[in-house]
Amino acid sequence: MQKLKKGGFTFKHFFVAHDRSPMKVTTDSCLLGAWAPIDIKVRRVLDIGTGCGVIALMLAQRLAQQPCQIDAVDINEQAILQCQQNIQEAPFNNITTYLQDINQFNASKSGYYDLIVTNPPYFEPAVSCRNQQRQQARYTESLNFQQLITTVKRLLTPDGKFCLVLPYHLAELFKQLCENNQLLLCNRLNLRYTVAKPYSLTLMCFSPCQQITSESELYLREENGKYSDDFKQLLADFYLFRSSVTNN
């Protein structure tokens, strides 16, 4: 039986430490890393606000059989240092980290991306966090929705895809902002924590080119607390399914 390490999350094929990163490994990020659509045309990937690097590492595993470069960007130094640590200890060598504000990320130097992913900040500035690093990671004052969409438009290839996860109640607002900026919804997954609960999360995929829109739903746990079959199938290549997301 594989021993679980402390200070992070143990996946099947790698460990993600998050004890120094402002944002920890979350169900939201794991869902996005497993769900984001990929195909043989994906050669360059950008992870915006990578934090401890969990989404970048999950995509590196999914893309391991094809040549692909993954760029992981974060504004927080501790997050990037932790991301670098996790990359060094993982069995992948195609992830490059950048300590930079994504609003100033140099497109001419980095090129354009076939896939952009993010678990973005979404809280409006209100009561400040006691920790300034966590404030940057969680609140839109460092990257609001319009700035994010503008950045995606600047860095995405004409037929590329942009994927993110948001609280369900913000999904329609973000979808409308994307449509106003010629980014069209092509896939959407709505998530409930149990079948009896209302929707709590939405994963969305947008593209500048016209796509057939598909919408589906998933619930995380059965009423008895066990993971649902659909959730286990989605995370089958990553989860050990014997502990909660944060095993510290």
Side-chain angles (χ1 to χ4, degrees):
M1 182 177 291
Q2 186 175 347
K3 184 178 179 181
L4 302 182
K5 298 181 182 179
K6 294 183 179 295
F9 188 82
T10 303
F11 291 86
K12 283 185 176 179
H13 301 292
F14 54 88
F15 174 74
V16 179
H18 60 201
D19 53 310
R20 291 187 293 154
S21 177
M23 294 301 291
K24 312 305 180 185
V25 175
T26 64
T27 302
D28 305 23
S29 294
C30 293
L31 283 164
L32 183 60
W35 176 82
I38 58 173
D39 57 41
I40 59 173
K41 295 185 295 183
V42 174
R43 291 292 184 266
R44 293 183 58 83
V45 177
L46 175 65
D47 179 12
I48 297 176
T50 191
C52 55
V54 57
I55 297 175
L57 287 162
M58 292 178 73
L59 290 173
Q61 178 179 319
R62 293 179 62 197
L63 292 161
Q65 301 305 311
Q66 63 191 65
C68 181
Q69 171 62 36
I70 299 172
D71 292 342
V73 181
D74 204 291
I75 197 173
N76 181 269
E77 184 176 9
Q78 288 303 310
I80 285 294
L81 290 173
Q82 185 122 74
C83 182
Q84 291 171 343
Q85 169 195 340
N86 290 328
I87 292 167
Q88 289 170 1
E89 297 181 4
F92 316 114
N93 59 5
N94 60 339
I95 305 174
T96 302
T97 60
Y98 295 88
L99 175 61
Q100 194 169 356
D101 183 342
I102 194 63
N103 293 300
Q104 279 79 53
F105 193 60
N106 191 333
S108 61
K109 182 181 297 185
S110 61
Y112 294 95
Y113 295 92
D114 307 300
L115 175 65
I116 297 178
V117 293
T118 185
N119 181 3
Y122 52 78
F123 290 113
E124 292 293 334
V127 178
S128 297
C129 295
R130 285 176 293 177
N131 185 311
Q132 180 61 32
Q133 295 178 348
R134 191 161 176 81
Q135 177 96 4
Q136 283 184 332
R138 291 172 62 85
Y139 287 83
T140 59
E141 59 190 352
S142 60
L143 181 66
N144 64 42
F145 285 168
Q146 186 57 58
Q147 288 174 319
L148 174 59
I149 291 169
T150 299
T151 295
V152 169
K153 290 271 291 180
R154 176 168 58 88
L155 296 175
L156 193 66
T157 59
D159 59 348
K161 292 180 178 178
F162 163 50
C163 301
L164 82 166
V165 56
L166 285 174
Y168 179 78
H169 72 278
L170 295 176
E172 286 302 317
L173 168 63
F174 194 85
K175 174 176 174 286
Q176 186 60 56
L177 287 172
C178 282
E179 289 178 350
N180 293 344
N181 288 270
Q182 294 77 52
L183 287 172
L184 307 176
L185 182 68
C186 44
N187 287 298
R188 177 170 176 169
L189 174 65
N190 299 316
L191 183 130
R192 310 174 192 264
Y193 281 109
T194 70
V195 68
K197 298 276 188 184
Y199 291 127
S200 55
L201 293 175
T202 295
L203 289 82
M204 293 185 288
C205 176
F206 297 90
S207 179
C209 58
Q210 186 66 47
Q211 300 281 341
I212 298 174
T213 302
S214 65
E215 186 165 344
S216 56
E217 67 173 68
L218 178 149
Y219 60 93
L220 179 65
R221 294 182 183 272
E222 305 286 355
E223 290 301 322
N224 60 10
K226 294 183 178 179
Y227 285 122
S228 71
D229 289 342
D230 287 342
F231 180 78
K232 287 192 289 186
Q233 182 178 359
L234 180 61
L235 275 298
D237 291 337
F238 300 99
Y239 270 26
L240 296 169
F241 287 111
R242 61 186 181 193
S243 63
S244 59
V245 165
T246 305
N247 44 329
N248 51 12

